[in-house]
Amino acid sequence: MSSSDVSTAGSNEMAELSTIDMALEVVTVPVSDVERAKSFYQGLGWRLDADFSIGDDARLVQMTPPHSRCSIHFGKGVPGITAMKPGSLQRVYLAVKDIDAAREDLISRGVDVSEVEEQPKPPGFPDLPGRSYFAYASFSDPDGNGWLLQEVTTRLPGREWQD
């Protein structure tokens, strides 16, 4: 079965939620220089989970942002790891409880981070305290892969999985 076989395009019906646990585990970040990328992400304070070299031509690095359940990996010479063009990954969200503190931390680590932008809440959006979901700042890695900090202090109703 292909992914298009389960499409509900054109249907107003909502598919039943799956009871199978699926966690987003790893996002591949396309980079041109593995050592430079490793240094950059370590400089952000991210945990180094793995750095495997297979000779001179193959390497896989995995890193995890603080307190994240999802990691990133990048490398060279590993099938599937280098299919995307370096810098082509954009708008990867990093949810933070205090965007101003997160921005200042990154700046103190030498990262060029945009000013915090607050977006207006659209009509009908649930009334959440503060600027949860609507305050953003952005930065890029040395290859131009784009990251967005998003302040999330209160989750929207229904956005927490029940055990």
Side-chain angles (χ1 to χ4, degrees), residues 60-142:
L60 176 66
V61 176
Q62 181 168 312
M63 303 189 77
T64 304
H67 305 282
S68 178
R69 292 186 178 177
C70 183
S71 302
I72 64 167
H73 67 204
F74 48 87
K76 67 176 185 173
V78 178
I81 198 96
T82 57
M84 295 184 293
K85 182 179 176 184
S88 64
L89 186 66
Q90 297 298 314
R91 298 182 58 86
V92 181
Y93 284 69
L94 296 168
V96 296
K97 292 194 181 292
D98 183 338
I99 196 165
D100 297 308
R103 181 177 179 274
E104 288 304 316
D105 178 69
L106 290 173
I107 289 170
S108 75
R109 296 169 182 274
V111 179
D112 183 20
V113 185
S114 74
E115 296 291 329
V116 174
E117 293 183 30
E118 292 186 40
Q119 304 289 321
K121 293 180 182 177
F125 191 84
D127 187 25
L128 297 176
R131 53 191 184 172
S132 198
Y133 290 100
F134 292 96
Y136 300 92
S138 61
F139 67 94
S140 297
D141 73 7

Side-chain angles (χ1 to χ4, degrees), residues 19-79:
T19 58
I20 305 300
D21 286 350
M22 289 186 208
L24 182 61
E25 185 74 17
V26 178
V27 173
T28 301
V29 178
V31 302
S32 60
D33 182 319
V34 176
E35 197 57 42
R36 180 180 71 178
K38 178 183 171 186
S39 178
F40 175 79
Y41 290 106
Q42 281 183 308
L44 298 182
W46 294 18
R47 183 184 68 215
L48 176 63
D49 299 323
D51 186 349
F52 299 112
S53 291
I54 307 158
D56 293 335
D57 298 327
R59 185 171 175 195
L60 176 66
V61 176
Q62 181 168 312
M63 303 189 77
T64 304
H67 305 282
S68 178
R69 292 186 178 177
C70 183
S71 302
I72 64 167
H73 67 204
F74 48 87
K76 67 176 185 173
V78 178

